[in-house]
Amino acid sequence: MNEEKVLAALVESGVPMKSAEVAEATGLPKAEVDKAIKNLVKEGKAESPKRCFYAAK
C-alpha cells in the first residue's frame, strides 16, 4: 500500500523530507503521499519535526 512505500522512503532517507520529495522518491502522486503521511502521523509511525517536513519515528 502507499503508506508502506511512503514510510519506507522516509526510513531510507534518514533525514526529514517534504511531501514532494517523498512523491518523487516513491513515484506516487503528491496527493496520495499527503494522504499517506497524514495517516502515518495519526498512527504514530511518522512525525513532523518542522513545518512541511516529515520523518519516520
Side-chain angles (χ1 to χ4, degrees):
M1 193 173 202
N2 292 346
E3 288 176 21
E4 292 162 1
K5 282 185 180 179
V6 170
L7 187 59
L10 291 174
V11 169
E12 227 173 80
S13 83
V15 294
M17 299 173 76
K18 290 186 173 187
S19 57
E21 294 171 329
V22 176
E24 196 175 303
T26 59
L28 296 168
K30 187 176 174 297
E32 291 295 317
V33 170
D34 289 335
K35 203 182 301 181
I37 286 174
K38 186 177 177 184
N39 289 334
L40 288 167
V41 169
K42 196 187 302 182
E43 293 168 10
K45 296 179 181 176
E47 63 186 349
S48 180
K50 66 179 183 181
R51 191 165 178 264
C52 297
F53 283 83
Y54 301 93
K57 272 194 169 176

